[in-house]
Amino acid sequence: MTNDYTHEKSGYTMTTVAEEAARCLLCHDAPCSKACPADTDPAKFIRSVRFRNVKGAAETIRENNALGAICARVCPTEKYCELACSRSGIDVPIDIGGIQRYVTDFEQQADMKILEKAPANGLKIAIVGSGPAGLQSATTLLEKGYAVDIFEKNTKPGGYLTYGIPEYRLPQNIVDYEIKRITDLGANLHLNTAIGRDITMDQLKADYDSVILAVGASEAKMLPMFDGNAYTETAVDFLARVKDAQGQIDDVPENAVVIGGGDVAMDVATTLKRLGTKNVTDMAYEEFDEFRASKKELAGTREAGVTLVDGYVPTAIDGNQVTFKHRNIDAEMTIKADKIILAIGQAVNTDQLGITTEHGEVSFIGYRTEDPKVYVTGDIAHGDKTVVWAVRKGKEVAEEIDNALMGGNRK
């Protein structure tokens, strides 16, 4: 069963990627490019692939997105570039994510070195958190000549990329290689280093020219009725445990209930099926037209054989039996399961960081806090919570810091 968890779906070959790229209409206005939150230019890299210039395609992707190989796999392209694709009006949109994956895989196999660090400008930036926004802001700053130190409380870098996204969707070796590119550029990673325990915000502000808070929503939410229940586990803990063990856990349940309707719930449900759980039922508060999960993840969950039940909320738990009531109709059901997994969202922990958040975000628009040395980015900044949006926010906060510190003197 482990192979099902670690097995990533095959990508394009040189022949099939050329066939897919040949379907591109080469639009003059390239609506796909305008729809990318990170400002990647699919029209340009697809054109390069059509001319067999894979190196040129890799340069287009990588110069804009330090996490190009990761976004190729986990970006909900059906919401962005592929939704805008002109080909949609004829048959189906170009598989932009699949083409990007081929290019970045080729780039990795050829060990291309596309990103370059600029000469040192004598300024130092501290980044708290090594998730996607922190990694992208580090890359952009290194390319501008800053020294960068990243402080990560966990034993491994990557945040949710490492601890949350299942192996079959995002192999850890891809995450590791993307991070290695950034450390090869010069970023210093300080693992097992928590703010307030190992180093204080005051120390960071004294030692660095700017501090970026790039902490993500890493803590699981718990419904009070499930607190302390022996059969209940949070999605955050479950996904991290399975990924760390590469699927080789010894407590795979026979029957499981997942509670939640977002992408994390879909990841949990599909992971359970890949581990061998016979019966997986996903109970969602949302009705089907309200589901927060991407169409791609929802389709994958259905394909895996998960039973999806919409519109129900848990009202009681007795041991391993959970009772649910429908939100809008007079209906109730009780399900008995060996494992109950809560995927009802994550919370942000900003203790010791000197900022406040409401519903997981700071109250202001933008990146600079009231303290002129401190910036925020990633999940706690306003905007979508996808990886591609993290890339966008990472670039934008780096540009804002550069403008503030260089005073418009950069040529």
Side-chain angles (χ1 to χ4, degrees), residues 148-181:
V148 173
D149 284 298
I150 303 174
F151 296 88
E152 169 57 56
K153 66 180 180 181
N154 291 310
T155 57
K156 300 176 185 174
Y160 197 70
L161 304 174
T162 293
Y163 289 99
I165 303 179
E167 186 76 11
Y168 58 86
R169 283 215 296 133
L170 180 60
Q172 189 58 37
N173 70 76
I174 297 295
V175 178
D176 292 343
Y177 197 81
E178 296 279 69
I179 293 173
K180 183 176 182 299
R181 292 176 197 275

Side-chain angles (χ1 to χ4, degrees), residues 300-354:
T301 304
R302 284 179 165 141
E303 188 179 328
V306 173
T307 301
L308 291 159
V309 183
D310 66 329
Y312 278 84
V313 294
T315 57
I317 182 166
D318 180 10
N320 63 343
Q321 290 191 154
V322 190
T323 300
F324 297 85
K325 287 192 72 172
H326 199 276
R327 288 164 52 204
N328 300 316
I329 61 176
D330 185 16
E332 186 175 281
M333 68 169 68
T334 297
I335 299 178
K336 189 174 182 179
D338 307 317
K339 173 70 78 177
I340 303 158
I341 300 182
L342 290 184
I344 57 171
Q346 287 99 248
V348 170
N349 184 350
T350 57
D351 289 350
Q352 309 296 324
L353 298 181

Side-chain angles (χ1 to χ4, degrees), residues 40 45 61 65 68-69 71-72 96-105:
T40 300
F45 73 70
I61 296 167
N65 185 345
C71 282
I96 295 171
I99 294 174
Q100 182 165 319
R101 177 183 160 186
Y102 173 83
V103 172
T104 52
D105 284 354

Side-chain angles (χ1 to χ4, degrees), residues 222-369:
M222 171 66 72
L223 294 172
M225 75 175 75
F226 292 93
D227 202 7
N229 180 273
Y231 298 91
T232 300
E233 186 172 9
T234 67
V236 169
D237 290 342
F238 174 76
L239 291 172
R241 187 163 63 88
V242 175
K243 190 158 186 179
D244 189 54
Q246 290 290 286
Q248 298 186 41
I249 61 172
D250 56 9
D251 62 341
V252 177
E254 181 80 2
N255 304 294
V257 170
V258 182
I259 300 175
D263 282 334
V264 173
M266 301 305 113
D267 279 343
V268 170
T270 305
T271 294
L272 284 163
K273 291 299 288 187
R274 285 178 175 249
L275 292 178
T277 299
K278 185 176 179 182
N279 302 302
V280 181
T281 304
D282 180 78
M283 304 292 293
Y285 171 89
E286 299 84 359
E287 296 194 328
F288 281 128
D289 58 354
E290 304 169 327
F291 262 46
R292 290 170 289 124
S294 71
K295 292 181 180 176
K296 187 189 296 183
E297 295 310 310
L298 198 53
T301 304
R302 284 179 165 141
E303 188 179 328
V306 173
T307 301
L308 291 159
V309 183
D310 66 329
Y312 278 84
V313 294
T315 57
I317 182 166
D318 180 10
N320 63 343
Q321 290 191 154
V322 190
T323 300
F324 297 85
K325 287 192 72 172
H326 199 276
R327 288 164 52 204
N328 300 316
I329 61 176
D330 185 16
E332 186 175 281
M333 68 169 68
T334 297
I335 299 178
K336 189 174 182 179
D338 307 317
K339 173 70 78 177
I340 303 158
I341 300 182
L342 290 184
I344 57 171
Q346 287 99 248
V348 170
N349 184 350
T350 57
D351 289 350
Q352 309 296 324
L353 298 181
I355 61 167
T356 57
T357 55
E358 186 174 352
H359 302 303
E361 291 184 341
V362 293
S363 59
F364 55 89
I365 303 295
Y367 302 105
R368 195 170 188 173
T369 70

